[in-house]
Amino acid sequence: MSRAAALATSPEQPLLLVGNPNVGKSVIFGALTRTYVTVSNYPGTTVEITRARARALPGVPEIIDTPGTNSLTPQSEDEQVTRDMDAVVLQVGDTKNLRRVLYLTAQLAELGRRQVLVLNLQDEARDLGVRVESAELERRLGIPVLPATATTGAGLAEIGRRLPRAARARLECPYPAVIERAVLEVASVLPARLAEARRGVALMLLAGDRTLAGWASENLEGASVELVGRLRADLERALGCSAATAISRARHRAVAELLRAVFHVDRTRSGSLRDRLGALSMHPVWGIPFLAVVLFAAYEFVGVFGAGTLVNFTEGVLFGKLINPAATAAVNWLVPWAWLRDLLVGPYGVVTMALTYSIAIVLPVVGTFFVFFGVLEDSGYLPRLAVMVNRVFRVMGLNGKAVLPMILGLGCDTMATLTTRILPTRKERALVTLLLALGVPCSAQLGVVLAMLGSMAPLGTFIWGGVVAGTMLGVGWAAARLMPGRGSDFLLEVPPIRIPGIANILIKTAARTEWYLKEAVPLFVLGTLLLFGLDAAGVLPRLETFSRPLVVGALGLPPKAADAFLVGFLRRDYGAAGFFLMRRNGQLDGIQSLVALVVITLFVPCIANFFVMVKERGVKTATAMVAFIVPFAFAVGAALNWVLRALAVRL
């Protein structure tokens, strides 16, 4: 949709869910559409608009879920999406943070949007002694105001009944006379089709909304564009500050006046145990042992239980003693062609390699990681981790908010690359994209890595973590000084600590497992077919011979390791699974295992992630990143191999 069309009004409008980050829009979207979307207790989960038919709202053609936004004068790409959509608005707000909610309401009113306001998270507000007089707020705003707790469904039934009463909110922001005169002059040159939205658009232009520059050049005459620029410059001289600052102050004053009438807090309430745990988890000192406990729990649940107990059963018993022997016997009896038998159950067989790797080895690890990651998401720990690592990330030209895409990369680097949109500057988005591709293992790969580390001495885990973290820190530091552009201030909403919902964790785990089966398993099959074809053509032995100086000489690995690196170009977790089996079969010693893990961790991203990198950063930038990562990963592995052997380290 063009920006011109987005700012105009339409007689048949969908319902647009708008709100600040992490207020429960996606929960309400799921309830109204009866479709599943990822729901997490931290900002930035929704990064693109999601559309679905409104199954629970008769007469509404479509519901659109948008990324969380704190302002309709966007500071990042995810905030721009919300402003550019044209629809009746269902604004979802956090009852505890009513000031921030009403600031957004004021902007929607200035754009002439018809809306209903849902005050969500009533349960958390009650726990903190927060009370909002919703009836009085509704009377003053002139729009439906609905208290709700979306996670339990409380209040959601009222949305359909009150939606026909959607209206433009009566939240007027008295601006200084000099601003009002400038608004009238700018509004007079805006297209008439904007109708009631002209005042809001005029304020955005005067505030210096750079994302409207393209729209203005397409829809305004050159003289009008110059007039807007001249008026903004004159206005800022008269105010003695930026127009955006003066406009924001006026809105905050109007919101503060309304808050005094409807917002009350019981100051006698003391912090709960969850509040104290939340503060402890991001303390600069006590947060470190808290993080250590989290990492130890991940190691035990994913690395020991998932990669040990579950994989021993699925790979050793289910596939090793039942499925693979039965498939081999059936194929040998039914298939007369040797090449087809090899394709199905040979060394590079679809059943004996692709399905064994993807289902028997990787899936149990992925499943346990998804469960653990879901607990971290729902608990609210991830934003607290961002606060803890803010100082470290400053070394790389980033701030703590950048940790959110990186942690999401532990689930899927592809989706994490999309979430870099929550970062305000182009430089930060490029830096995080590079670091994601370089050193953040996805869930499947990380699970296999944990499984291999579990078979080594604890020193191996420390060396692997130290090398990967040190490499990312060094590359980030250098890239931050080579890349043009600027960083940004660290502003992040920290949600309350919540007890994870078992149902939500199970639903997310099932959805992510389905994604893994649909996306990863076919690539495992494709990689196996590639190896089978290369082996049948006699190319694979030549590749092993060709790569021997690097794989055997520099990295100190067996020639067969070249196979794992080859399929690693398709998916890094496939390559990691190959090393996992080599380790279990006694083909890799401790040093070789650690070197292989470091290289495959720092290796090229999977194909899907590369395509998303191209989409988000462009072909030239994405290709340059991969061209740097591949030789760099092998160089780090070679250096590590030399150091470990020189020191005769035992792992």
Side-chain angles (χ1 to χ4, degrees):
M1 179 182 295
S2 68
R3 212 169 259 122
L7 293 171
T9 57
S10 171
E12 294 185 1
Q13 295 170 317
L15 182 65
L16 181 67
L17 295 185
V18 172
N20 308 114
N22 201 45
V23 295
K25 296 188 308 301
S26 295
V27 178
I28 294 177
F29 176 82
L32 297 179
T33 62
R34 295 170 188 159
T35 59
Y36 173 76
V37 291
T38 301
V39 177
S40 304
N41 186 21
Y42 59 88
T45 304
T46 304
V47 295
E48 293 187 302
I49 61 172
T50 305
R51 302 171 180 265
R53 188 161 60 90
R55 299 179 184 275
L57 296 176
V60 176
E62 185 180 47
I63 299 181
I64 304 170
D65 187 22
T66 65
T69 179
N70 290 309
S71 171
L72 295 183
T73 303
Q75 300 299 315
S76 59
E77 293 178 9
D78 60 319
E79 295 182 331
Q80 180 180 333
V81 172
T82 300
R83 187 207 59 201
D84 289 351
M85 297 299 300
D86 175 36
V88 175
V89 172
L90 183 68
Q91 184 189 355
V92 182
D94 181 354
T95 306
K96 309 184 300 297
N97 293 311
L98 189 60
R99 180 185 303 274
R100 194 177 60 168
V101 173
L102 294 178
Y103 187 91
L104 193 56
T105 304
Q107 291 182 284
L108 290 167
E110 289 168 348
L111 284 171
R113 295 295 184 90
R114 295 188 300 118
Q115 71 170 109
V116 171
L117 176 59
V118 176
L119 293 182
N120 194 25
L121 304 174
Q122 290 284 321
D123 54 340
E124 293 182 1
R126 285 192 297 270
D127 290 344
L128 295 174
V130 172
R131 179 173 58 87
V132 174
E133 297 180 26
S134 54
E136 177 64 13
L137 182 61
E138 179 170 321
R139 186 187 69 80
R140 288 174 177 255
L141 291 178
I143 62 173
V145 176
L146 312 177
T149 301
T151 53
T152 64
L156 299 188
E158 285 291 295
I159 294 176
R161 190 175 69 82
R162 305 291 300 280
L163 193 59
R165 297 183 58 186
R168 177 180 176 273
R170 297 194 301 265
L171 182 50
E172 303 293 338
C173 301
Y175 295 106
V178 64
I179 293 181
E180 290 289 356
R181 288 194 296 270
V183 168
L184 289 175
E185 286 194 63
V186 173
S188 67
V189 301
L190 296 179
R193 66 177 180 276
L194 294 180
E196 294 182 349
R198 280 187 292 183
R199 176 177 175 81
V201 175
L203 284 164
M204 288 179 180
L205 289 169
L206 289 171
D209 184 350
R210 292 187 296 272
T211 63
L212 279 176
W215 176 87
S217 63
E218 293 175 4
N219 294 272
L220 301 180
E221 296 179 357
S224 298
V225 174
E226 293 177 3
L227 173 66
V228 172
R230 186 170 66 253
L231 286 172
R232 183 169 63 249
D234 293 342
L235 180 61
E236 293 183 343
R237 279 194 294 271
L239 293 169
C241 64
S242 71
T245 298
I247 291 170
S248 178
R249 286 172 179 169
R251 288 173 179 155
H252 280 296
R253 283 194 295 269
V255 168
E257 182 178 347
L258 182 54
L259 284 173
R260 283 192 288 271
V262 301
F263 187 78
H264 309 284
V265 181
D266 182 359
R267 302 294 182 185
T268 63
R269 292 283 186 92
S270 60
S272 65
L273 176 61
R274 283 186 290 175
D275 295 332
R276 291 192 288 272
L277 284 175
L280 185 68
S281 66
M282 57 182 174
H283 189 275
V285 176
W286 295 112
I288 295 175
F290 200 97
L291 174 60
V293 170
V294 171
L295 294 176
F296 178 75
Y299 175 81
E300 287 294 319
F301 186 64
V302 180
V304 176
F305 175 69
T309 306
L310 292 184
V311 170
N312 286 339
F313 173 75
T314 54
E315 195 263 340
V317 178
L318 192 60
F319 272 74
K321 296 182 179 180
L322 298 175
I323 295 178
N324 284 348
T328 301
V331 168
N332 289 335
W333 182 54
L334 295 173
V335 178
W337 303 285
W339 68 269
L340 185 54
R341 290 197 299 268
D342 287 341
L343 176 62
L344 295 174
V345 295
Y348 300 108
V350 171
V351 176
T352 50
M353 185 175 190
L355 296 185
T356 299
Y357 275 37
S358 60
I359 305 297
I361 297 175
V362 178
L363 182 58
V365 180
V366 168
T368 51
F369 180 85
F370 285 160
V371 172
F372 188 81
F373 193 66
V375 172
L376 291 184
E377 285 183 315
D378 279 19
S379 67
Y381 176 68
L382 299 184
R384 288 166 170 79
L385 181 59
V387 173
M388 269 192 59
V389 302
N390 180 51
R391 289 185 178 179
V392 176
F393 273 50
R394 283 293 182 192
V395 176
M396 299 184 289
L398 300 167
N399 60 51
K401 193 174 182 180
V403 80
L404 294 178
M406 291 190 184
I407 291 177
L408 286 174
L410 298 177
C412 173
D413 281 330
T414 302
M415 290 304 300
T417 302
L418 290 173
T419 64
T420 58
R421 297 177 183 181
I422 70 174
L423 303 175
T425 68
R426 184 188 300 271
K427 177 179 181 178
E428 289 174 318
R429 293 192 289 271
L431 273 171
V432 174
T433 300
L434 171 63
L435 295 176
L436 277 169
L438 172 65
V440 178
C442 67
S443 55
Q445 183 190 5
L446 180 61
V448 179
V449 168
L450 289 174
M452 288 186 66
L453 291 174
S455 66
M456 302 182 199
L459 179 61
T461 302
F462 287 109
I463 294 176
W464 174 81
V467 170
V468 173
T471 298
M472 292 182 64
L473 190 64
V475 170
W477 179 86
R481 282 147 185 80
L482 293 174
M483 287 184 182
R486 59 181 180 84
S488 65
D489 295 328
F490 180 40
L491 298 172
L492 180 67
E493 177 71 17
V494 179
I497 287 288
R498 297 171 185 163
I499 298 175
I502 295 177
N504 189 39
I505 292 172
L506 293 178
I507 291 172
K508 284 197 289 189
T509 300
R512 286 167 171 165
T513 301
E514 180 185 10
W515 160 83
Y516 169 79
L517 294 174
K518 289 180 177 179
E519 179 182 290
V521 174
L523 286 176
F524 274 68
V525 174
L526 179 61
T528 300
L529 294 177
L530 174 64
L531 289 176
F532 176 83
L534 293 176
D535 183 57
V539 176
L540 202 55
R542 294 191 183 94
L543 286 176
E544 292 178 359
T545 302
F546 176 77
S547 62
R548 183 178 292 271
L550 175 61
V551 174
V552 179
L555 300 181
L557 301 177
K560 205 68 177 172
D563 296 358
F565 288 125
L566 183 63
V567 294
F569 281 100
L570 292 176
R571 284 190 64 90
R572 283 191 292 190
D573 51 323
Y574 196 170
F579 289 126
F580 177 83
L581 276 185
M582 292 178 69
R583 172 69 173 174
R584 288 190 63 168
N585 294 334
Q587 296 172 278
L588 297 177
D589 61 25
I591 291 179
Q592 290 174 322
S593 299
L594 186 56
V595 170
L597 285 183
V598 167
V599 176
I600 203 67
T601 302
L602 301 176
F603 204 42
V604 294
C606 68
I607 286 180
N609 189 25
F610 175 72
F611 287 148
V612 170
M613 290 169 62
V614 170
K615 174 187 175 185
E616 295 293 306
R617 307 279 86 87
V619 176
K620 183 178 178 181
T621 300
T623 304
M625 288 180 179
V626 172
F628 162 75
I629 289 172
V630 175
F632 184 78
F634 283 108
V636 172
L640 178 63
N641 176 57
W642 183 84
V643 171
L644 293 177
R645 296 195 181 280
L647 297 176
V649 175
R650 292 183 175 272
L651 298 172

